[in-house]
Amino acid sequence: MPSDLLLNPRTYDPAHFDPETRRLLRATIDWFETRGKKALLSDYIDRTWYADFLEFAAKEGLFAAFLTPSASAADDESKRWDTARNAALNEILGFYGLNYWYTWQVTILGLGPVWQSANPQAHARAAQLLSEGHVMAFGLSEKGHGADIYQTDLVLTPDGKGGFLANGSKYYIGNGNVAGLVSVFGRRSDIEGPDGYVFFAADSRHPDYHLVKNVVNSQMFVSEFRLEDYPVGAEDVMHTGKAAFDAALNTINIGKFNLCAASIGICEHAMYEAVTHAHNRILYGKPVTAFPHVRREFTDAYIRLVAMKLFSARAVDYFRSAGPDDRRYLLFNPMTKMKVTTEGEKVIDLMWDVIAAKGFEKDTYFDKAARDIRGLPKLEGTVHVNLALIQKFMPNYLFDPAEYAPVPTRLDAADDTFLFQQGPARGLGAIRFHDWRTAYDAHADRPNVARFREQADALCELLSQHAPDRAQQQDLDFSLVIGHLFALVVYGQLVLEQAELTGLDSDVLDEIFDVLIRDFSAYATELYGKPATTDAQAAWALAAIRRPVADPERWARVWSQVEALSGAYEMQSA
């Protein structure tokens, strides 16, 4: 049933979590539903700061419970950093709007350098602020450098008393208007090079912290702020030198994962609204959903959304099972960020093609979703940056598998402590993976899984027999297409693993691989047309194109799941 695959606030009961987690997740849904759709949309349109949501979160201790590691929880058993339940809250917040998710996401980023540090005063300060209901901020980006952490113009000058005076500006800093703690990245004036990096804690309420403006036209506050002789004591310093650099990258490793679940939540809400509208709209004497092209677009959107959820849920398990000898999550993380969020854009676009002008109406959730879904692929690194990162793992993933114990489904109530002990941010090319073929072999009886496996094997042939030369590897316009082909193989693997673990409907699974086959063929066609492609590579590209195995009865059964979404959920207007 569709309710098993998509979040439905009417029936949501995360029974796989402990009672307090279930209560908090359900309370969050109930707060939004009681407040109602009219207020949700009007506040979005009026760009109203979401003080009421932050008040609710503070009252319930929501962020404190989900974002305080057990070591800093003062024996409060409800508090832990648990990626599985964090993903669930990400999805719920995305379901009701990117702005609500964003204040939570930026708090996660702001806490990354804190919980990675060995500074007990910073830990105690952050835990206390969370318990009081404060949000946090991550002061990394600058107007002139973006998130290029090799360059920073925020300078700390020794004050002669063992501390520093900080001067400089930060840009694109969410929550910078109210954050109780801002993790700020800068450099010392008296030390050159990487040894001079510093991560320190600031407070947006301090008189030497100057809020300049909100740089976006939105409910959220994405600030520019300036520090002028801001005093930084030893108790405020969280990381110095290379460790500060690693803390920045490792924080993004933690934070970028959240974007996939936010994208999923946005698409789910939009899908209920779009299918309900189209199914009940009569055009030329028929419901809009009677037209074959409409059914195809809605079914493709549904299938892509289900695949997003499967991949992301399985990636959670690798995050939670990670350790110094198992860093596979470092591939699956940029995959969730790059692949899942761009799939979210496709889901919205497919539905928008159907509902057309309705998607612009101000009294719909959809027009907010269509605007906000664009932001997620562009946060915490662009698609191109993450796709280039993914390719670092390609040789070992495809050609040099290693033995690992099976990773189980991880829904246990435990701290994911390794996320704050990731160590140096290097050595990605040396990370090994289990054999990707195992997941494909387990589902070889599904016609489209088997056909996509042919394409995956063909990619290995391309890379072993017609590998890109040095010039092609340096040509991002060429190499990124190879990255997209590789990403599809990784995406399919985790989808298959999660399908096995959850007993996914085999019809849905086969339709997912129908989509992947078409996507692989599209990228192969793109490779064929690239100016840098050799004749041998072009011939490979044409030979790698496949048609999915069609089954009208199977497709009709999946369409019935989509059709059942009509009227399954509508947010009460209140």
Side-chain angles (χ1 to χ4, degrees):
M1 293 295 292
S3 59
D4 295 330
L5 297 177
L6 303 190
L7 187 158
N8 187 338
R10 291 180 178 176
T11 58
Y12 185 75
D13 180 16
H16 49 282
F17 289 125
D18 61 277
E20 180 61 8
T21 297
R22 292 169 67 186
R23 185 193 73 78
L24 286 168
L25 293 173
R26 187 67 241 183
T28 302
I29 287 176
D30 291 343
W31 182 83
F32 280 107
E33 291 291 330
T34 300
R35 186 166 169 268
K37 187 174 184 178
K38 183 178 179 180
L40 185 81
L41 302 187
S42 64
D43 281 0
Y44 185 101
I45 292 167
D46 295 337
R47 303 184 299 279
T48 303
W49 172 250
Y50 29 75
D52 53 351
F53 171 67
L54 296 181
E55 183 178 321
F56 155 78
K59 179 182 176 183
E60 295 291 341
L62 181 65
F63 290 9
F66 280 61
L67 301 181
T68 309
S70 297
S72 297
D75 298 324
D76 185 339
E77 295 184 359
S78 71
K79 295 179 178 179
R80 65 182 185 275
W81 193 290
D82 173 340
T83 302
R85 67 175 189 170
N86 284 0
L89 184 56
N90 273 305
E91 183 179 1
I92 290 169
L93 295 179
F95 190 95
Y96 290 105
L98 185 69
N99 296 322
Y100 299 95
W101 168 84
Y102 183 73
T103 193
W104 146 268
Q105 160 70 356
V106 177
T107 298
I108 287 174
L109 292 171
L111 289 167
V114 178
W115 301 137
Q116 290 179 68
S117 78
N119 182 338
Q121 292 167 291
H123 288 199
R125 177 179 173 186
Q128 181 62 33
L129 288 167
L130 283 168
S131 71
E132 293 171 0
H134 289 274
V135 294
M136 313 302 170
F138 185 53
L140 180 64
S141 298
E142 296 180 10
K143 190 172 185 178
H145 306 299
D148 177 3
I149 60 176
Y150 292 96
Q151 304 289 329
T152 176
D153 293 330
L154 194 141
V155 177
L156 292 87
T157 304
D159 63 5
K161 304 173 184 176
F164 304 91
L165 294 176
N167 287 275
S169 298
K170 292 292 179 178
Y171 203 77
Y172 298 131
I173 311 304
N175 291 349
N177 56 326
V178 297
L181 187 151
V182 185
S183 292
V184 183
F185 185 78
R187 60 181 175 85
R188 291 179 57 159
S189 64
D190 57 331
I191 299 178
E192 293 293 328
D195 290 341
Y197 292 139
V198 179
F199 240 127
F200 65 95
D203 186 338
S204 70
R205 298 163 295 180
H206 193 282
D208 297 320
Y209 178 106
H210 301 279
L211 187 64
V212 178
K213 63 180 178 180
N214 188 355
V215 303
V216 298
N217 181 22
S218 172
Q219 267 185 284
M220 62 182 74
F221 204 106
V222 184
S223 68
E224 177 184 5
F225 70 79
R226 184 176 67 256
L227 302 183
E228 295 181 354
D229 285 342
Y230 186 99
V232 178
E235 69 279 4
D236 302 316
V237 175
M238 297 182 290
H239 303 275
T240 60
K242 185 63 167 60
F245 181 90
D246 289 336
L249 290 181
N250 290 337
T251 293
I252 294 169
N253 285 340
I254 296 166
K256 77 165 63 170
F257 177 78
N258 301 304
L259 279 71
C260 66
S263 184
I264 289 165
I266 291 171
C267 289
E268 287 171 318
H269 195 157
M271 181 163 283
Y272 284 119
E273 196 175 67
V275 173
T276 299
H277 166 74
H279 197 59
N280 291 279
R281 182 173 174 80
I282 305 300
L283 196 62
Y284 306 117
K286 301 177 182 178
V288 168
T289 50
F291 294 94
H293 69 289
V294 167
R295 292 188 173 193
R296 178 188 61 79
E297 289 187 302
F298 269 149
T299 302
D300 267 16
Y302 175 72
I303 286 297
R304 287 183 186 276
L305 177 52
V306 171
M308 290 162 64
K309 293 199 71 169
L310 292 168
F311 183 90
S312 300
R314 185 55 175 153
V316 166
D317 300 332
Y318 286 94
F319 261 75
R320 304 201 70 198
S321 299
D325 300 320
D326 183 357
R327 302 169 71 205
R328 288 174 286 177
Y329 75 103
L330 289 174
L331 167 59
F332 304 138
N333 189 25
M335 279 289 301
T336 59
K337 193 297 180 187
M338 180 282 296
K339 184 63 179 174
V340 175
T341 62
T342 53
E343 285 294 290
E345 289 189 285
K346 292 176 184 177
V347 169
I348 294 296
D349 286 344
L350 284 163
M351 295 189 293
W352 205 352
D353 280 347
V354 174
I355 68 172
K358 186 70 177 179
F360 292 97
E361 293 185 12
K362 68 178 183 180
D363 62 351
T364 65
Y365 175 87
F366 195 95
D367 89 308
K368 287 78 180 165
R371 184 178 299 115
D372 290 343
I373 200 72
R374 312 295 170 200
L376 289 160
K378 300 167 183 64
L379 297 173
E380 325 318 351
T382 64
V383 169
H384 305 110
V385 167
N386 282 282
L387 195 53
L389 175 62
I390 285 164
Q391 290 184 81
K392 293 179 182 292
F393 303 96
M394 188 163 60
N396 276 353
Y397 178 94
L398 291 175
F399 298 109
D400 193 16
E403 291 292 328
Y404 287 94
V407 171
T409 300
R410 290 293 308 276
L411 296 171
D412 47 306
D415 255 320
D416 299 336
T417 54
F418 176 71
L419 295 180
F420 305 109
Q421 301 165 1
Q422 295 178 59
R426 61 174 182 265
L428 302 185
I431 294 172
R432 304 278 295 282
F433 297 86
H434 56 302
D435 195 336
W436 58 273
R437 298 169 184 82
T438 303
Y440 285 90
D441 290 345
H443 295 274
D445 60 319
R446 303 311 308 162
N448 282 318
V449 175
R451 187 153 292 183
F452 181 78
R453 169 66 187 275
E454 294 174 10
Q455 293 179 308
D457 288 337
L459 176 62
C460 293
E461 177 189 329
L462 170 69
L463 296 174
S464 61
Q465 298 184 19
H466 311 292
D469 61 25
R470 185 174 181 83
Q472 288 175 321
Q473 291 175 36
Q474 294 176 343
D475 178 357
L476 281 177
D477 184 54
F478 176 90
S479 68
L480 290 179
V481 181
I482 304 293
H484 280 297
L485 291 167
F486 171 57
L488 287 169
V489 179
V490 179
Y491 199 62
Q493 179 204 333
L494 261 62
V495 165
L496 288 168
E497 290 185 8
Q498 189 66 6
E500 181 74 21
L501 290 167
T502 59
L504 181 72
D505 176 359
S506 62
D507 290 338
V508 172
L509 182 62
D510 227 353
E511 288 299 325
I512 288 173
F513 278 84
D514 178 296
V515 167
L516 296 186
I517 290 166
R518 285 184 275 136
D519 286 353
F520 193 101
S521 297
Y523 285 121
T525 303
E526 185 178 349
L527 182 68
Y528 175 82
K530 290 293 182 186
T533 301
T534 66
D535 289 344
Q537 291 165 341
W540 172 90
L542 291 180
I545 293 172
R546 296 286 188 279
R547 292 180 64 191
V549 180
D551 182 339
E553 293 182 357
R554 179 191 70 218
W555 187 90
R557 289 191 295 270
V558 175
W559 163 248
S560 69
Q561 295 185 24
V562 182
E563 192 174 28
L565 296 173
S566 175
Y569 166 77
E570 183 174 357
M571 189 175 182
Q572 64 184 35
S573 61

